[in-house]
Amino acid sequence: PSTAALKGRRVIVTSGPTHEPIDPVRYIGNRSSGKQGHAIAAAAREAGAEVTLVSGPVALADPWGVTTIHVETAREMQQAVEQALPADIFVGAAAVADWRVVEAAPEKIKKGAKNPPSLALVENPDILAAIGRRKRDRPALVAGFAAETDRLIEHAEAKRLSKGCDIIVANHVGAGANVFGGDRNEVTLISAAGRESWPNLTKTEVAARLVAAFAKKLSEARQ
Ligand code: C5P
């Protein structure tokens, strides 16, 4: 993308997993390195945007020039996203845990008791859907990811509609795709205008192309 494609635009990106505490030392979490989300934040910054990255626990450095907010849980992530509004573009790239433990234990749960503990779970807020369906301050462009192992396009399109997104980036995560933690990604972009499949690329290349696609959509929407 041109270095000024997103000049003057505000972009919010979520990245990484969330960790939902079971007790002070254990958690429920998803597999996510944060590499794709962080690369998108960096690419948006390179394209001239003012970027806020809301990151769950990852082993990556904060991208240069990006305001990075570190959170642990889905509810903290949602709060940080809402505080960062308004924005022109929202990209939900985080692997948010679908459930959290109703009440995390204040002390480490000891093993060796007669029965292993059972966990009572409650659903986490869907951050992407909440942004997509906002009446006030809805970003002009809302993009989410769909990591699917089967019937990728069909599930991704259903997700786009149910979450009120403009774009879903569908990625192949089935056996052998090696997306989690890897440096490459193979995606199909799905919007109301149709779909577009890209070859297997590095996550940095996918990020640059996504940012270019977002900038184009945004300028079309403004005309
Ligand atoms: O429903 P599913 O988790 O497959 O949808 C994935 C998309 O939704 C991703 O863009 C992810 O960041 C977002 N998401 C979210 N909050 C959740 C669950 C998913 O923002 N609680």
Side-chain angles (χ1 to χ4, degrees), residues 19-57:
H19 286 180
E20 313 294 332
I22 295 170
D23 67 19
V25 300
R26 305 180 179 99
Y27 62 84
I28 296 173
N30 279 358
R31 279 182 202 279
S32 170
S33 66
K35 282 179 183 172
Q36 188 63 80
H38 278 55
I40 292 167
R45 172 67 182 81
E46 254 173 67
E50 191 187 309
V51 184
T52 299
L53 172 64
V54 182
S55 174

Side-chain angles (χ1 to χ4, degrees), residues 22-24 103-109:
I22 295 170
D23 67 19
E103 203 174 351
E107 311 285 352
K108 184 179 175 187
I109 301 167

